[in-house]
Structures are given as structure tokens and as C-alpha cells.
Amino acid sequence: MNTTQRTSSGSSQSPRSPSSQPPYLSVSVTDPAKMGNGVQAYISYKVITMTNLPEYQGPEKIVIRRFSDFDWLHDRLFEKYKGIFIPPLPEKNTVEKFKFSAEFIEMRRQALDIFINRIASHHELQQSEDLRTFLQADEQTMDRSRSQESGIFKKKPADLMQIFRDVQSKVSDVVLGKEKPVEESNPEYEKLRHYIFELEDHLAEAQKHAYRLVKRHRELGQSLSDFGKAVKLLGSCEGNALGKAFSELGAKSEMLSVKLEREAYHLLMNFEEPLKDYVRAVQSIKSTIAERANAFRQQYELGETMKLKEIDLNKLKLTRSERMLDAEYEYEELKGDSEEATRRFEVIVQLMNEEIVRFQEQKTLDMGLAFHEFAKGQARLANGIADAWRSLLPRLEAC
């Protein structure tokens, strides 16, 4: 769905007044075009935004974007919106990229359109400043935004070395058995993790077989085409009714090969690709689960450290040590960090609970549509094949 609508309060304005319309945000990714040559070549897309939201520059905006711009938006949202399932991007697939086949370009365009519309239809993500930049900024501004370093890459070399040492120390402790990784023990959380990991396996298996179905449709179509050409040549050797029947058989075979190729493409875009998209979506959820695990460990470790600091502080109070004031300051600072880490973890848990409900509802709709398209396509193909062969039977029987 391309249009996002947020509920608006009632108004006594005239129905003809533009502001009386409910808020909407409609985005489409269109007109893919190859830019450049060789290893520097890439595909650009026209991104069209239509909206009446006041935070946007106007009712319509058209910008040119490339895959790396979509990638930038994805990374920014993942960095900022912890606990929310960020829609997945299609794979970069550099091998297919250099082929630049029409099918690959359309598959990627469709996947990018789904990606941006999932963001635009999300009640939290649609308010992102980064989304507005993506949808409105000129190409030069977008290039600058994309090239700006963020996250861990913004840290100084000394900071990076310290992070590396900390991680190395943690890994060594776990490997040597000095420390076991702390994990959240929550029945609902365990149930969610089990569901997501199991869902990924089942979706991946279904997608694998959908790929094989597409491949077999194409192989059968190619075989029918080759058979049709051969039978038509055979028919040209015969000057009687048999030769004419052979020629018609060849023509029908070639016609059915076109049907099979067309149905293979329909199966690819409306069945295999949606399954592949949901495999990617589940992998995105697993990334959010990992973020939740990190947040839990952080708040747990800060809590444990605070307990040790409290013991040390009580000892200093008993001995009336001159270090007591510094220790009290450190304890209060650590307490603030611990409370913030706990709050962050609780927010992630709350958001994930909301997100999994939304994900399951959307999955039910999307998978229902995909399987309906699959069944409809197979029925259409079967009827077309049966009708074609049935129409040929009287001529073959007359020979």
C-alpha cells in the first residue's frame, strides 16, 4: 500500500478546503535508469512523494535516488529507532548488478518501493527527520548526508582501540569460562525468539521451493519452444494433413512456451519475491532481538557494578575515608547510567511487543495475497494449457 493516513481531529472547515483532508503520505519508486558504465555503473530511481503533511516542503516532490541512499536511510533508522523492526532492503547482489538485466532492475525497484512505503506507513518511522531528508533533499545534500560518518566510525582511533580491547577481553573471558554471557530469562521472550527462528527456517524453505517452481516453469517453457520449432520443421517435410497437423502442434507448443514464461515471471514477482522479502524481514527482526539482548546485558552489568560500588561506598563510610566524596559521586553517576540503561531496555521491550503484533497482522495479509496470486496463476496456466491442447485434438484425430 502506497498511501499512509494518520487520523486527524474533526473539523468544521469546508469540504473543499485542502486542510480538511486527512493527513496522507504517498511514496512511489519509479523509472529506474542505468547511470555510468563499467564498475562505476549504478541504477538511479525516481522517488515521488505526495503529501499534505505540514512538515514537508509541498504537496509533491520528485527526487533521484540510488541504492546507497536507501541503504543510508535504513542504517540511520536502525541506529535511532531501537526496538522497532526496520523494514529490510533487498540484497546488494553485486553479481546480478553487473548484469543489469531488466528482471533484476524491476525486482529491485519493487523491493525498494515496498521498503520505503513500509517506512512511510509506520506511525513512528514516518516522523523521522532522516525520512524527510531522503524524500526531499537535492542530490548534493543527499550525497553529503550519506558521506557523513556516524556511529562507531565517528569515534577517534584511541576510542576504537579501547572498544577493541574491551570486546577482546569479553570474548576471552567467555571462551576461557571466566564469564558466561548474560541472557534474559523471560518465557514470553523465549517464545518470541523460538517463533522468529522457526519462522525464518520455514520461510526460507518455502522460498527455496518457490525458486525451483519458477525455474521449472522456465525450463518447461524453453523445452516447449524448442520442441515447437522442431515439430514445425518436421511438418514442413510433409505435404499432407499430417504435415499441417505437425505445424499446428509446433505453433501451439511455441504459444504455450510464451504462456509459461509469462507465468514464471508472475510467479517470481508475486510469490517468490514476497517470500524472499519476508525472509529478509525476519532477519531484520533478529537484528532487533540482538539489540534487545545487548540492552539487557548492559543494564544487568551496570546493576551488578552498582551493587559492588555500593559495598565499597559503605566500607569507606565506616572507615571515614577521604575518598568517600569521590566514591559517592561515582556511585550517583553510575546509578544514573544504570537507570537510563534500564529505561532504554524497557522501551525496547515495549516497542517489540507492539511491533510483533503489527508484523503478524501484516504478514497474514501479505502471505494471504501471495498464496492467492500463486493459486490464481497456476489455475490460469493449467486452464490455458488444457484449452490449447484440447483445441488441437480434433485435427490430430483427423490425420
Side-chain angles (χ1 to χ4, degrees):
M1 183 181 292
N2 286 350
T3 303
T4 300
Q5 293 191 349
R6 291 184 286 183
T7 56
S8 59
S9 58
S11 173
S12 59
Q13 293 173 333
S14 165
R16 295 185 180 183
S17 171
S19 57
S20 67
Q21 295 179 354
Y24 68 90
L25 177 61
S26 171
V27 186
S28 57
V29 179
T30 65
D31 300 351
K34 182 183 176 184
M35 311 295 289
N37 295 297
V39 295
Q40 299 298 323
Y42 65 92
I43 303 297
S44 70
Y45 306 88
K46 186 183 292 184
V47 179
I48 305 171
T49 303
M50 302 195 65
T51 183
N52 62 356
L53 299 179
E55 55 265 37
Y56 282 81
Q57 296 169 359
E60 182 177 0
K61 185 71 175 180
I62 300 175
V63 295
I64 303 299
R65 295 290 180 257
R66 56 188 296 184
F67 184 84
S68 55
D69 297 321
F70 289 86
D71 196 28
W72 170 85
L73 177 61
H74 175 275
D75 290 349
R76 296 284 289 183
L77 295 176
F78 184 77
E79 185 180 333
K80 293 182 178 181
Y81 290 87
K82 303 300 183 185
I84 290 178
F85 301 158
I86 306 302
L89 279 170
E91 298 88 352
K92 293 185 179 179
N93 204 334
T94 52
V95 174
E96 283 295 331
K97 172 188 168 183
F98 289 116
K99 294 180 182 177
F100 282 126
S101 66
E103 183 174 281
F104 168 75
I105 291 171
E106 175 55 22
M107 284 167 57
R108 174 163 283 189
R109 184 211 63 78
Q110 177 177 285
L112 293 175
D113 189 88
I114 291 171
F115 165 77
I116 198 66
N117 276 286
R118 281 180 175 162
I119 294 170
S121 63
H122 193 285
H123 65 286
E124 290 287 340
L125 300 180
Q126 68 178 201
Q127 300 174 43
S128 163
E129 184 180 340
D130 293 316
L131 176 62
R132 290 197 293 275
T133 297
F134 176 88
L135 294 177
Q136 298 182 118
D138 57 46
E139 290 180 65
Q140 291 74 25
T141 303
M142 192 69 232
D143 287 342
R144 285 196 299 272
S145 298
R146 196 176 67 243
S147 62
Q148 285 176 352
E149 294 179 335
S150 61
I152 189 172
F153 302 105
K154 207 170 183 180
K155 295 181 179 292
K156 298 176 183 177
D159 296 330
L160 292 174
M161 287 304 298
Q162 186 58 49
I163 290 172
F164 175 75
R165 291 191 196 99
D166 291 344
V167 171
Q168 191 177 43
S169 175
K170 285 282 185 185
V171 171
S172 298
D173 287 346
V174 171
V175 171
L176 295 173
K178 296 178 183 177
E179 178 184 331
K180 293 182 179 179
V182 180
E183 293 186 357
E184 182 182 352
S185 58
N186 179 316
E188 286 300 313
Y189 174 62
E190 286 301 317
K191 183 179 177 182
L192 170 63
R193 287 182 76 253
H194 177 75
Y195 165 71
I196 291 300
F197 279 77
E198 193 174 53
L199 179 62
E200 180 185 27
D201 290 340
H202 295 329
L203 282 170
E205 187 70 12
Q207 187 267 319
K208 180 177 73 176
H209 290 292
Y211 167 80
R212 289 176 178 172
L213 278 172
V214 172
K215 185 179 179 183
R216 285 172 183 170
H217 275 59
R218 285 178 167 165
E219 288 172 346
L220 179 57
Q222 186 60 51
S223 296
L224 274 172
S225 177
D226 295 339
F227 172 72
K229 289 181 177 67
V231 172
K232 284 170 74 175
L233 289 173
L234 180 62
S236 65
C237 297
E238 303 286 343
N240 51 22
L242 181 62
K244 187 176 181 182
F246 280 169
S247 296
E248 289 186 14
L249 176 61
K252 288 289 184 184
S253 298
E254 289 182 322
M255 181 268 290
L256 287 175
S257 77
V258 174
K259 279 183 178 290
L260 276 160
E261 177 56 38
R262 191 181 300 129
E263 191 54 44
Y265 182 78
H266 180 271
L267 192 62
L268 171 69
M269 301 302 292
N270 297 289
F271 187 60
E272 185 196 346
E273 277 299 301
L275 285 170
K276 189 187 295 183
D277 176 63
Y278 265 90
V279 171
R280 293 191 293 259
V282 170
Q283 291 167 350
S284 178
I285 294 173
K286 287 172 66 178
S287 297
T288 306
I289 289 174
E291 288 293 322
R292 171 171 171 165
N294 289 335
F296 176 80
R297 280 193 289 270
Q298 186 178 30
Q299 62 100 24
Y300 175 84
E301 288 168 2
L302 281 169
E304 292 299 301
T305 305
M306 199 172 76
K307 291 176 185 177
L308 296 175
K309 283 284 185 184
E310 188 174 13
I311 293 171
D312 291 341
L313 181 60
N314 289 333
K315 288 179 181 178
L316 292 172
K317 285 180 179 179
L318 288 173
T319 59
R320 296 183 180 180
S321 171
E322 59 183 18
R323 292 185 55 249
M324 189 177 71
L325 289 177
D326 289 340
E328 284 180 339
Y329 175 78
E330 290 175 4
Y331 176 79
E332 289 300 323
E333 191 176 50
L334 186 63
K335 183 181 179 182
D337 291 343
S338 179
E339 289 172 351
E340 174 60 23
T342 299
R343 185 198 65 79
R344 208 160 42 234
F345 171 69
E346 289 173 349
V347 168
I348 289 176
V349 171
Q350 179 186 346
L351 287 172
M352 282 189 66
N353 289 339
E354 296 170 0
E355 287 289 286
I356 196 64
V357 172
R358 186 183 61 83
F359 168 77
Q360 288 174 319
E361 290 174 351
Q362 190 63 49
K363 175 172 62 66
T364 299
L365 292 173
D366 291 343
M367 288 295 98
L369 178 61
F371 280 91
H372 178 264
E373 286 296 316
F374 168 73
K376 187 171 69 174
Q378 294 301 294
R380 181 174 57 241
L381 178 64
N383 288 334
I385 291 174
D387 289 344
W389 293 134
R390 195 178 293 116
S391 69
L392 194 61
L393 286 176
R395 291 176 177 82
L396 293 175
E397 290 168 354
C399 293

